[in-house]
Amino acid sequence: MDGTRGVGNDYRRIADRIAADIARGRLRTGQRLPPQRAFARRHGIAASTAERVYGELARRGLVVGEVGRGTFVRATTPDAQPGHALTEASCAPATVNLELNYPCVEGQSELLAPVLTELLRPDALSEALHLPAPAAGTEAAREAFAGLYPRGSLSPDGIVFTGNARQAIAATLASLVRPGGRIGVEPLTYPLVREVAARLGATLVPLATDERGPLPVSLATAHRSAPLSALYLQPTLHNPTSRTLDAERRSELAQVIVDLEIPVVEDRVWSFLHEGHEPPFSALLPGLGHVVDSLSKRIAPGLTVGFAAVPPARAGEVARAVRSGGWSAGSLALEAAVRWIGDGTADRLAAAKRVDARHRQLLATQALSGFPLLTDPSSYYTWWPLPTPWRADTFTAAARARGIAVTPGTAFAVSPAHTPDAVRLGLGSVSEGELVRALGVLAEVAAAGPGVPVTALPAREVSGCG
């Protein structure tokens, strides 16, 4: 790289030369570029020009900047030519998608079909489609959904229905948090919560954690520095780490929450997989706990019915948020769900998926043996802290170049200054054969390290219900 002076489009010519070095392998995937000031001195250009060079490389998809860490070369395909911005068409297609995580089991459609056949009778269909489902549903629906949990865990009077779990989270938080409010969360959290907080004009406050979960003292400190409007927690099978709070930590956290009177939104979308299937954490939080759940994982991906089980005194306020957001459940989907719960289909599918998840976890631990994994035997996802020198972004790009989509740890990080070098692998949306093959390829990529040329897998049709 020789010195270059100039103005105008010179930054693009410099970017072209860097792009050529990346395409020819002179700069390898994961390699760190010098700081912009050092780059400017090396090339005899202004610091502002160096900033534009780095910006152009990022625009083309060739590099990625990580706050506090620097700028790194991304994994690219061989057609990353000078001046060529990477597009979806120029990247190897992700033929195996381990980002999605919508489990289904053998015989699922056959179990679900009888209820749908019943609903297709003109009289039943007319009743199911007569009016939109109100946020409070029907008494039968509230009783049925409360029955998904251990007896007495949820009050039917506090159940509010939405189109899916995302809408239930958004409506519940909207009912609790005003603009300028603060929401306490785990440092790694469901990405949707960041979007909801932005729309509400609220700030996410990451709580310090250890291997057992959020630290009670961190919660107390955060609240006393400036009151928290609410907490969003995943106490059972946390996504993405699969951690479940033990009884002692639940009790310690509950005591602080009750003392400080902080409302909690408890996400239990994946909790049906946990072998203990204990009562919700919210059972320890009278008047403060808001349980959010849905049927898309438990029954079927296409069944988009979510619900929030809230203190009965707050049900009206949450229902108003549902109506305001246009997040009501569909009448036909709600009626089908009530029937599937009532005839035992929901329980049979949940049991089958618990068996399937444990089997897929075993496949993952076997395929990735030798790598440290954070997971739970009953979970449908695995959190993989990557071996050095991999970073989440460059590994994700390298995996995609081999035809596999994974979720980088940055997607879950609340603070951009603390992004984990890890990826989440969803195990539930593809066939077993595709899963085993993909995990084997990922193990090869991880062991080879950044900078090793990647080749795309032959395109295949992906089976599964994701």
Side-chain angles (χ1 to χ4, degrees), residues 139-167:
E139 182 178 355
R142 294 193 299 274
E143 291 285 351
F145 277 71
L148 292 171
Y149 280 74
R151 189 172 186 85
S153 296
L154 304 183
S155 168
D157 293 339
I159 292 181
V160 176
F161 296 100
T162 61
N164 54 46
R166 294 183 175 201
Q167 295 172 353

Side-chain angles (χ1 to χ4, degrees), residues 9-96:
N9 289 326
D10 277 358
Y11 80 93
R12 289 195 180 93
R13 287 195 288 272
I14 300 172
D16 286 346
R17 289 208 302 278
I18 302 300
D21 286 341
I22 293 173
R24 292 166 187 150
R26 293 173 184 156
L27 290 173
R28 296 173 309 203
T29 298
Q31 186 169 338
R32 186 176 185 271
L33 298 184
Q36 290 181 16
R37 290 189 179 278
F39 184 90
R41 288 195 299 270
R42 182 179 302 177
H43 289 268
I45 58 179
S48 59
T49 303
E51 182 179 0
R52 297 181 75 183
V53 171
Y54 279 44
E56 176 66 12
L57 291 171
R59 185 190 69 79
R60 298 182 191 181
L62 300 176
V63 301
V64 60
E66 298 182 16
V67 177
R69 302 177 69 178
T71 301
F72 300 88
V73 177
R74 297 186 65 171
T76 59
T77 52
D79 60 351
Q81 298 299 322
H84 173 64
L86 291 181
T87 65
E88 288 187 9
S90 68
C91 294
T95 60
V96 181

Side-chain angles (χ1 to χ4, degrees), residues 406-451:
V406 301
T407 308
T410 50
F412 301 93
V414 174
S415 171
H418 298 90
T419 54
D421 292 325
V423 294
R424 192 201 73 167
L425 308 177
L427 309 179
S429 285
V430 299
S431 70
E432 281 189 23
E434 291 287 350
L435 178 63
V436 170
R437 183 174 68 95
L439 292 172
V441 172
L442 292 177
E444 292 175 5
V445 172

Side-chain angles (χ1 to χ4, degrees), residues 94-131:
T95 60
V96 181
N97 194 328
L98 303 185
E99 287 185 293
L100 296 178
N101 210 15
Y102 294 110
C104 62
V105 292
E106 187 175 353
Q108 180 168 297
S109 296
E110 288 76 7
L111 277 174
L112 297 174
V115 159
L116 294 179
T117 301
E118 293 173 9
L119 285 175
L120 290 178
R121 296 197 328 264
D123 57 332
L125 192 60
S126 176
E127 184 176 346
L129 298 179
H130 181 60
L131 291 171

